[in-house]
Amino acid sequence: MLFRSVGLADCGLGAWCTTSEMRVNANAPDDLLDPDAFAVLTTGNSMLPAGIPPGILCFCSPNTRFTAGDAVYVQRYDNTASIKIFQKRDDKWYYLLGYGSPDAEGAQKIFTERLALNAAKRIAPVIWEKRKL
């Protein structure tokens, strides 16, 4: 199955990429059956501790449930997007975990970012990753 990427997803502290369609053809896994699935190309290196380096094509499934600890693609209504780790949701906020850029020793501090529920246009778990060269 060939996919068309919806754009870039930044992975940094307060980092959000402007979304726009881009043509990146890639074979998706045969078991990815969600008809609404899409792919995004990661930028930035702050999600390295979560196993998501820059240049990875992340396949996302908006019809798949996600729970605490799952990597998620988050698109806001201002058409910016990022990949973070979903922590929890309450009646006003999504709580998303990320990592700061590496310091001189390579350490990356953990941070939590709040996103208002009404600011999230789409949230979809990352269910498969592929290196895109």
Side-chain angles (χ1 to χ4, degrees):
M1 170 187 266
L2 289 177
F3 267 73
R4 205 169 68 191
S5 175
V6 297
L8 302 173
D10 206 325
C11 299
L13 174 61
W16 297 79
C17 284
T18 301
T19 58
S20 61
E21 291 229 357
M22 56 188 282
R23 295 188 182 272
V24 176
N25 289 327
N27 290 318
D30 292 336
D31 60 350
L32 180 55
L33 303 176
D34 183 348
D36 298 320
F38 58 92
V40 294
L41 189 63
T42 59
T43 64
N45 61 3
S46 67
M47 289 303 284
L48 282 171
I52 304 174
I56 290 291
L57 195 58
C58 290
F59 290 86
C60 305
S61 176
N63 295 316
T64 298
R65 297 180 78 151
F66 54 90
T67 60
D70 288 341
V72 292
Y73 168 83
V74 181
Q75 182 180 10
R76 301 186 302 195
Y77 276 102
D78 66 359
N79 277 332
T80 58
S82 187
I83 292 182
K84 305 284 188 230
I85 304 298
F86 175 76
Q87 290 183 301
K88 65 180 181 176
R89 168 194 166 152
D90 62 24
D91 60 340
K92 293 183 182 180
W93 304 100
Y94 288 108
Y95 295 86
L96 307 167
L97 180 138
Y99 301 88
S101 295
D103 62 19
E105 289 80 37
Q108 294 178 254
K109 290 187 179 182
I110 295 174
F111 68 88
T112 297
E113 187 170 338
R114 289 186 319 175
L115 178 66
L117 296 181
N118 63 1
K121 181 176 183 179
R122 172 167 52 174
I123 297 183
V126 174
I127 61 167
W128 199 72
E129 299 170 9
K130 178 179 185 173
R131 168 71 57 191
K132 187 66 182 168
L133 300 175

